[in-house]
Amino acid sequence: MPLSPPEVISAFHLTEDFDCGKSVLNNWLKVRALSNHRNNFTAVMVIHENLRVLGFYGLAPTAIVPTSLPRNIRTGQPPDPIPCLLLGQMAVDITCKGTGIGTGLLKHAMLRSLEAAKLVGGRALLVNAVDEDAAAFWMKRGFLPTRDNPMVLFRAMADVARNV
């Protein structure tokens, strides 16, 4: 059976066997993802095979203090805090590592972030790396650490638009 395209999470999606190798992300998917989606905290998208989730991401609005970001993002009299979008969680099951699912999910998330930023504003896409390996993963994909916290990384929306 082929993989699904990214779609909104539902109660029909099977999450109990998902394992990306990072318990914090596994638990978030299994315990909080559906509830967060239903309560409009996070828009959660999944890729599945026969309803078994093999990858997911969560996208939400957020804001960050201006001093955390470089001058090129703070130009133009921004509000304080600066509106951004948060790619709060993204993971792929370890059985699917290296298959391109993660790349596809990231591209989908960036495209949706651009659409959302056009509708409600947002100067950057932020990620919260769960550990140093995750931070390295994000940096390889063009994200830069914020000034205040190397585990919070960002990519300017203008940069996202140029590279999707």
Side-chain angles (χ1 to χ4, degrees):
M1 181 93 178
L3 292 177
S4 72
E7 62 185 51
V8 173
I9 194 169
S10 76
F12 297 108
H13 290 114
L14 306 173
T15 61
E16 58 273 357
D17 292 331
F18 184 87
D19 181 11
C20 69
K22 298 193 186 281
S23 61
V24 66
L25 294 171
N26 294 337
N27 292 337
W28 188 86
L29 174 66
K30 295 171 186 180
V31 176
R32 298 183 61 196
L34 185 58
S35 173
N36 279 12
H37 185 83
R38 286 179 173 164
N39 289 310
N40 293 322
F41 294 127
T42 309
V44 181
M45 303 296 288
V46 299
I47 288 180
H48 65 86
E49 183 177 53
N50 293 327
L51 296 177
R52 181 180 176 267
V53 173
L54 299 175
F56 71 93
Y57 73 84
L59 194 60
T62 193
I64 191 167
V65 296
T67 56
S68 295
L69 298 172
R71 185 174 306 272
N72 67 325
I73 294 180
R74 294 183 282 133
T75 59
Q77 300 177 332
D80 185 0
I82 296 174
C84 297
L85 292 155
L86 175 66
L87 180 52
Q89 303 79 20
M90 188 179 97
V92 174
D93 194 273
I94 56 176
T95 63
C96 299
K97 297 286 185 190
T99 63
I101 290 175
T103 299
L105 282 171
L106 180 56
K107 183 174 182 177
H108 192 264
M110 290 193 309
L111 287 169
R112 290 188 77 213
S113 296
L114 288 170
E115 292 172 21
K118 288 177 189 173
L119 292 172
V120 300
R123 293 286 289 174
L125 180 59
L126 300 177
V127 295
N128 292 320
V130 296
D131 57 29
E132 290 181 9
D133 289 338
F137 169 90
W138 291 113
M139 285 190 281
K140 286 180 187 173
R141 283 144 187 90
F143 287 78
L144 302 169
T146 58
R147 292 179 178 178
D148 300 337
N149 185 342
M151 301 304 276
V152 177
L153 299 98
F154 74 94
R155 193 161 174 190
M157 280 301 181
D159 184 52
V160 170
R162 284 190 298 272
N163 292 287
V164 281

